[in-house]
């Protein structure tokens, strides 16, 4: 179910079952997917969480304007080496392990199924842990990018997640045949040197520089195969890789299948569709977010122990900034402060609808009126249900308004109380 379908469904429910007098917060409905901390069960559509406040969406690259400039392009070609050539096309297995990125999707000496065309799952095969998109989102703690365009015949087949590297893999098959697969791998990164999906290739590999709507990327055809204990680089056309960095993420598209089904231009078209349909700029510093938003920031001057700033997000469509604070780096124990400037139109993106059973409490934030509520929208049997407590997550919301700004403080976890939330809100300057 798409986000637009979810929004329409919730809006219909609101009109039918929530008359105006039961709407305690500002009367606008906005429902967003939210990820829980536990490992989800493998059901295809029943585990989508709907929360009143999203503490993690995803994603645009800070610094993209520099990369698009001539100076940035020249710098990128020197700084980015997604594919690193080895000294020869044959290396000892130990050296191969040292140079390959962790858990690469390409075939390795330990897994030559790509070269042989045998994709049958075996005991311990990662495919045994295939998840739905909603499930991998919940485990990863961020909303993965999805392509808005796929080559003809390809459909989503499942997703994988690597806990160690935080790499999400979305898998697409042609006409349900696993012999022709497209994998979109992605990982958040904080520094240019962080790239678990980058890989080494043989010295004979033909690495091409490509442009993904102006962003530098690299394309190569080939695969490492095992032979007599060594890793040997081969250049077949049926294994195609492309890597680029954009929007706070590193991306890799890997194709394994009949060469004529997917050409280089198809991988580029798919890559350009990945980031073109997103409105959330993620993994920003405070300075980067403020430069994009163009309005003065407010920040909490007090936070409970171990809560530290992690990142900022910017919603380009609604001009809303979210500042994220994690407890000891834990994404599942996090505070989010959203900032929305008052505008002449009187619209309010942060204002939202709650269920009739919600216990909305009036509070004072430095003399300003505010409201506090605990609860979350969940999707059960195709219906939106408001729960003051959910098995998936505990959500606490505090909304208040000044002459210049609307604020929403949201918390997921069990560490902070209502009193803590008010104290954080009163420290916002």
């Amino acid at each position: 179910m798409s986000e637009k379908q979810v929004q329409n469904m919730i809006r219909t429910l609101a009109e039918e079952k929530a008359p105006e007098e039961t709407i305690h917060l500002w009367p606008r409905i906005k429902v967003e997917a939210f990820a829980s901390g536990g490992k989800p069960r493998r059901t295809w559509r029943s585990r989508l969480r709907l929360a009143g406040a999203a503490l993690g969406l995803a994603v645009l690259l800070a610094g993209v304007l520099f990369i698009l400039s001539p100076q940035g392009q020249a710098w990128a070609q020197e700084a980015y080496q997604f594919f690193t050539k080895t000294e020869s096309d044959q290396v000892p297995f130990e050296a191969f392990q040292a140079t390959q990125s962790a858990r690469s999707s390409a075939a390795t000496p330990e897994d030559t199924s790509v070269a042989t065309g045998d994709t049958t799952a075996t005991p311990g095969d990662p495919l045994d842990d295939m998840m739905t998109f909603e499930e991998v989102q919940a485990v990863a703690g961020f909303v993965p990018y999805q392509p808005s365009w796929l080559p003809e015949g390809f459909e989503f087949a499942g997703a994988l997640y690597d806990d160690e590297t935080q790499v999400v893999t979305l898998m697409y098959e042609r006409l349900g045949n696993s012999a022709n697969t497209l994998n979109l791998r992605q990982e958040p990164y904080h520094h240019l040197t962080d790239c678990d999906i980058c890989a080494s290739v043989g010295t004979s590999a033909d690495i091409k520089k490509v442009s993904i709507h102006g962003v530098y990327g690299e394309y190569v055809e080939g695969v490492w195969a095992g032979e007599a204990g060594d890793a040997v680089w081969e250049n077949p056309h049926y294994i195609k890789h492309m890597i680029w960095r954009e929007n706070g993420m590193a991306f890799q598209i890997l194709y394994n299948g009949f060469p004529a089904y997917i050409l280089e231009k198809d991988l580029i078209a798919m890559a350009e569709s990945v980031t073109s349909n997103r409105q959330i700029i993620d993994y920003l510093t405070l300075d980067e977010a403020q430069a994009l938003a163009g309005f003065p920031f407010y920040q909490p001057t007090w936070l409970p122990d171990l809560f530290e700033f992690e990142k900022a997000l910017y919603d380009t469509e609604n001009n809303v900034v979210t500042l994220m604070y994690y407890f000891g780096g834990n994404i599942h124990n996090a505070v989010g402060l959203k900032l929305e400037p008052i505008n002449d139109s009187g619209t309010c993106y942060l204002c939202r609808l709650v269920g009739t059973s919600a216990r909305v409490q009036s509070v004072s934030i430095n003399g300003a009126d505010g409201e506090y509520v605990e609860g979350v929208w969940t999707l059960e049997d195709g219906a939106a249900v408001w729960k003051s407590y959910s098995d998936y997550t505990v959500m606490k919301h505090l909304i208040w308004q000044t002459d210049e700004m609307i604020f929403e403080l949201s918390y997921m976890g069990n560490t902070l109380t209502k009193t803590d939330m008010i104290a954080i809100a009163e420290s916002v300057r």
Side-chain angles (χ1 to χ4, degrees):
M1 179 179 293
S2 69
E3 181 181 353
K4 182 65 69 175
Q5 290 173 314
V6 171
Q7 292 175 351
N8 291 338
M9 181 267 294
I10 298 292
R11 186 177 293 108
T12 301
L13 286 172
E15 293 171 352
E16 294 178 353
K17 299 184 179 181
E20 184 176 356
E21 60 269 18
T22 67
I23 300 174
H24 303 290
L25 300 182
W26 289 278
R28 173 185 168 91
I29 180 167
K30 180 68 178 177
V31 182
E32 302 174 43
F34 189 80
S36 74
K39 184 174 182 179
R41 295 190 295 271
R42 297 187 185 95
T43 56
W44 277 92
R45 294 181 177 85
S46 62
R47 299 301 294 256
L48 178 63
R49 262 78 76 195
L50 301 179
L55 297 186
L57 283 172
V59 201
L60 255 209
L61 173 67
V64 66
L65 295 179
F66 171 73
I67 292 177
L68 292 177
S69 68
Q71 297 88 346
Q73 288 290 331
W75 172 83
Q77 292 185 17
E78 295 180 2
Y80 289 171
Q81 287 188 339
F82 302 128
F83 296 109
T84 303
K85 286 190 176 184
T86 57
E87 293 182 357
S88 72
D89 282 342
Q90 183 169 334
V91 296
F93 177 60
E94 293 78 9
F96 173 85
Q97 284 185 310
T99 56
Q100 283 296 96
S101 64
R103 291 164 175 80
S104 172
S105 292
T108 72
E110 294 181 305
D111 177 13
T112 57
S113 61
V114 174
T116 62
D118 180 9
T119 57
T120 304
T122 58
D125 193 301
L127 296 181
D128 293 340
D129 296 323
M130 193 80 75
M131 291 179 279
T132 68
F133 181 83
E134 289 80 13
E135 289 169 345
V136 80
Q137 172 186 322
V139 174
F142 64 90
V143 181
Y145 281 84
Q146 299 181 77
S148 59
W149 178 87
L150 286 169
E152 184 177 359
F154 283 87
E155 294 182 351
F156 178 71
L160 298 171
Y161 180 68
D162 187 310
D163 289 312
E164 182 178 348
T165 63
Q166 292 186 294
V167 173
V168 170
T169 301
L170 304 182
M171 305 180 68
Y172 303 85
E173 296 178 352
R174 187 178 187 274
L175 303 178
N177 184 355
S178 60
N180 297 288
T181 59
L182 270 171
N183 291 345
L184 172 62
R185 308 179 72 222
Q186 54 194 290
E187 60 169 326
Y189 74 93
H190 302 283
H191 306 285
L192 290 177
T193 55
D194 295 339
C195 183
D196 288 301
I197 63 177
C198 298
S200 64
V201 297
T203 188
S204 66
D206 181 17
I207 302 175
K208 298 180 180 180
K209 298 172 182 178
V210 295
S211 174
I212 291 99
H213 48 59
V215 175
Y216 176 81
E218 293 176 356
Y219 171 88
V220 69
E221 296 180 359
V223 64
W224 286 104
E227 182 176 309
D230 288 339
V232 178
W233 178 260
E234 299 176 352
N235 296 287
H237 298 303
Y238 58 80
I239 301 289
K240 305 179 182 185
H241 318 251
M242 189 165 66
I243 299 179
W244 76 103
R245 279 176 168 149
E246 187 178 6
N247 301 354
M249 304 287 283
F251 297 93
Q252 180 196 48
I253 297 179
L254 169 66
Y255 174 64
N256 170 28
F258 187 62
Y261 290 154
I262 297 292
L263 305 178
E264 177 185 341
K265 65 181 181 65
D266 298 317
L267 293 189
I268 293 175
M270 178 178 171
E272 291 187 333
S273 80
V274 168
T275 54
S276 61
N277 60 340
R278 297 297 290 270
Q279 70 183 48
I280 304 297
I281 306 177
D282 201 351
Y283 291 96
L284 299 173
T285 66
L286 287 170
D287 290 341
E288 290 167 344
Q290 186 157 5
L292 288 169
F295 59 82
F297 274 21
Y298 293 78
Q299 302 176 55
T301 56
W302 176 85
L303 285 165
D305 290 342
L306 299 182
F307 278 92
E308 295 182 352
F309 174 78
E310 178 69 18
K311 64 178 180 177
L313 303 91
Y314 178 57
D315 184 334
T316 60
E317 180 178 348
N318 299 293
N319 196 30
V320 171
V321 169
T322 302
L323 308 180
M324 296 299 306
Y325 303 86
Y326 290 176
F327 179 80
N330 184 359
I331 64 174
H332 303 301
N333 193 341
V335 170
L337 175 64
K338 288 190 174 184
L339 313 173
E340 179 183 3
I342 300 292
N343 58 68
D344 295 336
S345 66
T347 59
C348 175
Y349 169 79
L350 296 183
C351 303
R352 62 188 73 254
L353 184 80
V354 297
T356 56
S357 64
R359 181 169 175 259
V360 179
Q361 304 173 51
S362 297
V363 296
S364 175
I365 308 299
N366 296 324
D369 292 336
E371 294 178 344
Y372 172 85
V373 68
E374 296 182 3
V376 60
W377 286 104
T378 63
L379 190 63
E380 296 183 359
D381 298 325
V385 179
W386 174 269
K387 289 188 175 182
S388 295
Y389 175 83
S390 169
D391 293 336
Y392 307 132
T393 185
V394 177
M395 289 295 300
K396 300 175 181 180
H397 314 274
L398 180 61
I399 300 180
W400 73 102
Q401 180 176 331
T402 66
D403 292 339
E404 300 85 18
M405 196 76 62
I406 302 171
F407 300 90
E408 179 182 20
L409 188 68
S410 297
Y411 171 66
M412 177 189 71
N414 297 294
T415 303
L416 302 186
T417 64
K418 171 187 172 184
T419 300
D420 296 324
M421 297 276 286
I422 293 175
I424 294 172
E426 291 189 328
S427 78
V428 172
R429 299 286 186 273

